[in-house]
Amino acid sequence: DFVNTLIPLGHLDRFKKSVPHIHDVPVAIRKFLIVEDFGTSGLTGETENPGSDEAGQNWNAFWFREGEGGKEHGAGNGGAGQGKITYFSTSEIRTIFAYTVRSDDGRQALYGASSFLRDYSFNEEKWLRDSYWGVSKKIKDSLIAVPAEEQKIIQTFRDVLGVSRKEKETGLSLIIPSPREFILNDAIDVTIAEFFTPILRGDLVVILGNLTLNSDSIISAADTRLSDEKARSLHTCT
């Protein structure tokens, strides 16, 4: 019932109209993929001015830009418009939600967006491919969606969908409905090969399902799972 209020059937109807050439469109939301990072700054910056693009505007860079970071430095991970590039394509209905706890002001923010492949016609009207989920607010004669910040809404969202982030833990939680299928063991192997060095240094800990990869376990995991030949076949950076 909660998922049906979060993503009503009308949303799926709109997606079908945007991809008339695709016939196996999901008829209901059955699964969510949750990806969370901890110890990061979260999506900082203004949340009610999509046009703001100066330094530190990672909220806008994530939701409203493509290939553009928050400009404060070259390693604004998560702020370079990755939402449009990667995460929408991971969802079979090109829709994502994000719950962030921000390091700059401690605020919690819950937001969502869809980025269909093209503009589309629905009920004899033309609609843009991008749409946003949040709280409607009128700002300077324009109606925009701003993040939901009411604690009851956020708590229900976290509890029902299994988000582990607590209200004081800064960072970003991505919730992706109808995720494309992937093989967990392949994801583990790629992670070991791609991030072996930062994990070994203790700069990164990755949890996939029930497996924790950290500085204590990464060498044995690599020895067990990756022969030199297999590691080379993955074509990762390491």
Side-chain angles (χ1 to χ4, degrees), residues 6-123:
L6 194 65
I7 308 174
L9 293 178
H11 184 76
L12 298 181
D13 292 338
R14 288 172 177 269
F15 177 70
K16 292 175 186 177
K17 292 291 186 180
S18 74
V19 287
H21 58 290
I22 297 178
H23 302 293
D24 57 345
V25 175
V27 294
I29 310 301
R30 301 297 185 195
K31 296 180 181 179
F32 286 81
L33 173 66
I34 297 179
V35 182
E36 303 185 85
D37 63 49
F38 296 89
T40 56
S41 63
L43 297 180
T44 57
E46 294 189 51
T47 60
E48 298 187 359
N49 182 10
S52 181
D53 64 353
E54 59 267 15
Q57 300 301 321
N58 283 334
W59 175 273
N60 286 342
F62 183 87
W63 291 112
F64 308 117
R65 312 276 184 268
E66 292 189 31
E68 176 187 340
K71 298 185 178 178
E72 66 274 22
H73 52 71
N77 297 328
Q82 295 177 22
K84 280 201 168 66
I85 297 168
T86 304
Y87 304 121
F88 288 122
S89 64
T90 302
S91 167
E92 290 187 337
I93 59 171
R94 296 188 63 84
T95 299
I96 64 174
F97 294 89
Y99 164 53
T100 186
V101 180
R102 298 146 47 98
S103 63
D104 55 351
D105 54 17
R107 285 167 55 197
Q108 302 175 75
L110 177 62
Y111 203 63
S114 292
S115 185
F116 296 162
L117 292 175
R118 59 183 61 83
D119 297 347
Y120 60 99
S121 295
F122 185 76
N123 290 343

